[in-house]
Amino acid sequence: MAKRENARFEELVLPHMGAGYNLARWMLGDADRAEDALQDAAVKAFRSLSTVRGGEIKPWFLAIVRNTCLNALRAAKGRRAFEMEFADADPDRAAVALGTSDVVMESMTSDDIQRAIEALPAPLREVVILRELEDLSYREIAAAIGIPEGTVMSRLARARERLASALSCGGTA
Amino acid sequence: MNCETARTLISAAIDGELAPQEQREFDEHVSSCASCAADLQRFQAVSRAVRESAPRYSMPPGVLDAVRVRVGRPRPLIWQPFGLGALAGVALASLVAVALISRPSASLAEELLDEHVRSLQGSHLVDVVSSDRHTVKPWFEGKLDFAPTVRDFASQGYALVGGRLEYLDGHAAAGLVYRHGLHVINLFVFSVAVPAVPAELRGYHFASWRVGELQYVAVSDTDQPELDRLKSLYLSPN
């Protein structure tokens, strides 16, 4: 019995540990804390794996990782600071303020890009990570975060707009 | 399709998330609208830059094995009134002081045991390293809504190593780490009453007590008397 649980865990959950680590590392900004959160999330996933039937394991597991990270952030920052960080509201219409279109990105370094992503509000940062680095579909991202697909789309649009501005300024400023 | 609609769809278009018909209309619009075409390029450039240059952090080696160890233990045997006999290898002790609102004790014990095992697996034994209780205690200020009692019993063989912030069962707690011979002892302190924990769970021992408003729970795979001794030291007058 226990063996079968462990085999399921190996087969279904462990393949997504890399994605979980990357998400935790971006959310927490620290390698040790990311590893702690990932381990805790994996143990939680193991315990509730028997309740999952079919469905998609990856968004389910990433949702657990994300919640574990949110708990860690809440504990570390205090509730008020935490809520402010995640309060960046969702004007669901992404009023895409299109400014100058001539993006100069040739001079960008990967450090610039990393900093620009880190500077995004947490709710925008996580959709960027899940979409661009983990290649999740809108449906999977919606499941992992617990928001509608339309919100995934508008958050991604806003995130990209912010990144475009940050990066096109970064080269010259 | 007009510009306003096209703009809201740019992101979805480059992610391949538009329905075929919508995608055709979008493409048609962009092919005849320089402004939207430029915006599309701009988003594509951002997306490409992130994919190509943003770090995708790699999981450190050893994490999978650490997780396998943590889930590989037999599932709850529930606590048993007898010991498992001599435990080979390095014995490790964890002392956890906890004050929580009433919860099922088995899950609390599981959680404390997890924290204990995790703390021994490398990176996160302590957040503040100090054998000086006057350093450890102030470190918790502002991180907890209570002031844990921090005592050092180095001369009695229980040396304070440091402290750690814990978040257990929805409550912030202080984690204090002691060394007793080869044993590591984690002591977690909570500010509200916690349910009784079993004396033993999967070969680890627990001891719990209360001082004033603070509740303490000890977890350990060392012998019970070793934990009980720490308990009596904590209960002794300052």
Side-chain angles (χ1 to χ4, degrees):
Chain A
M1 203 84 117
K3 267 201 180 122
R4 222 180 108 230
E5 270 178 28
N6 284 331
R8 267 192 99 210
F9 183 67
E10 287 278 335
E11 181 192 338
L12 298 176
V13 177
L14 292 189
H16 305 304
M17 289 283 280
Y21 181 78
N22 186 45
L23 177 63
R25 178 70 180 73
W26 278 101
M27 285 185 76
L28 299 173
D30 177 85
D32 287 345
R33 292 170 68 207
E35 181 175 339
D36 285 347
L38 179 66
Q39 281 201 29
D40 290 352
V43 171
K44 284 181 207 166
F46 177 77
R47 291 199 180 140
S48 45
L49 189 56
S50 58
T51 66
V52 181
R53 14 202 96 195
E56 288 172 276
I57 295 289
K58 191 175 186 180
W60 171 80
F61 177 61
L62 291 177
I64 296 176
V65 171
R66 180 175 177 274
N67 283 332
T68 309
C69 291
L70 293 181
N71 278 338
L73 288 170
R74 209 177 276 129
K77 294 182 182 215
R79 182 168 301 165
R80 188 163 307 167
F82 170 81
E83 278 167 5
M84 279 179 64
E85 184 169 350
F86 276 81
D88 185 74
D90 258 312
D92 252 336
R93 278 286 118 160
V96 186
L98 294 167
T100 60
S101 293
D102 48 321
V103 194
V104 187
M105 291 206 214
E106 292 83 51
S107 58
M108 281 179 330
T109 67
S110 67
D111 279 356
D112 292 333
I113 292 171
Q114 180 173 354
R115 266 195 300 275
I117 297 172
E118 282 167 355
L120 288 175
L124 301 188
R125 195 190 318 134
E126 62 185 1
V127 293
V128 169
I129 300 309
L130 293 176
R131 175 63 210 148
E132 308 287 28
L133 300 185
E134 298 306 332
D135 213 25
L136 262 56
S137 69
Y138 285 13
R139 191 165 47 81
E140 291 171 317
I141 297 171
I145 301 184
I147 54 177
E149 284 182 46
T151 308
V152 174
M153 180 177 82
S154 61
R155 284 190 188 176
L156 262 174
R158 278 192 296 148
R160 284 171 173 152
E161 187 54 45
R162 287 206 194 202
L163 289 174
S165 312
L167 293 172
S168 51
C169 294
T172 51
Chain B
M1 186 175 287
N2 60 27
C3 288
E4 199 189 337
T5 308
R7 277 174 190 170
T8 65
L9 297 180
I10 293 174
S11 238
I14 66 176
D15 290 322
E17 295 273 351
L18 293 182
Q21 176 63 23
E22 225 172 3
Q23 182 74 49
R24 265 193 302 277
E25 290 172 18
F26 177 84
D27 291 343
E28 230 166 77
H29 174 80
V30 166
S31 66
S32 62
C33 172
S35 159
C36 284
D39 290 335
L40 174 62
Q41 271 185 356
R42 186 167 129 96
F43 270 45
Q44 277 168 334
V46 170
S47 174
R48 200 178 319 118
V50 171
R51 283 173 180 256
E52 285 169 5
S53 304
R56 183 177 191 267
Y57 297 102
S58 325
M59 181 167 60
V63 175
L64 289 183
D65 282 339
V67 167
R68 288 187 181 108
V69 168
R70 284 179 65 181
V71 305
R73 283 173 291 153
R75 288 300 294 149
L77 300 166
I78 314 303
W79 47 95
Q80 296 161 335
F82 49 86
L84 291 181
L87 289 164
V90 179
L92 300 155
S94 209
L95 179 70
V96 180
V98 183
L100 280 180
I101 296 165
S102 208
R103 294 274 185 156
S105 57
S107 70
L108 176 65
E110 288 278 353
E111 209 173 348
L112 296 178
L113 187 50
D114 269 348
E115 289 302 310
H116 171 62
V117 172
R118 193 188 63 154
S119 78
L120 303 172
Q121 282 168 347
S123 59
H124 194 207
L125 184 59
V126 291
D127 290 328
V128 55
V129 182
S130 176
S131 57
D132 181 0
R133 64 196 174 88
H134 297 297
T135 304
V136 175
K137 184 172 173 151
W139 182 84
F140 285 109
E141 262 173 39
K143 299 184 178 71
L144 292 171
D145 57 1
F146 63 96
T149 306
V150 179
R151 299 180 69 178
D152 179 32
F153 302 106
S155 56
Q156 289 94 339
Y158 296 83
L160 181 64
V161 176
R164 193 172 72 236
L165 196 64
E166 287 288 349
Y167 200 67
L168 293 161
D169 206 19
H171 297 264
L176 302 176
V177 181
Y178 290 84
R179 219 167 262 287
H180 178 59
L182 291 175
H183 307 237
V184 172
I185 300 181
N186 282 302
L187 175 60
F188 299 76
V189 188
F190 293 73
S191 65
V192 280
V194 280
V197 290
E200 188 187 329
L201 181 61
R202 297 203 292 264
Y204 292 82
H205 294 100
F206 293 77
S208 60
W209 64 89
R210 188 182 182 97
V211 179
E213 294 296 300
L214 303 181
Q215 190 146 347
Y216 300 75
V217 180
V219 188
S220 159
D221 72 349
T222 187
D223 294 334
Q224 191 71 46
E226 311 271 306
L227 276 189
D228 290 341
R229 178 133 183 278
L230 182 56
K231 172 177 174 175
S232 60
L233 286 169
Y234 247 87
L235 291 173
S236 68
N238 252 321

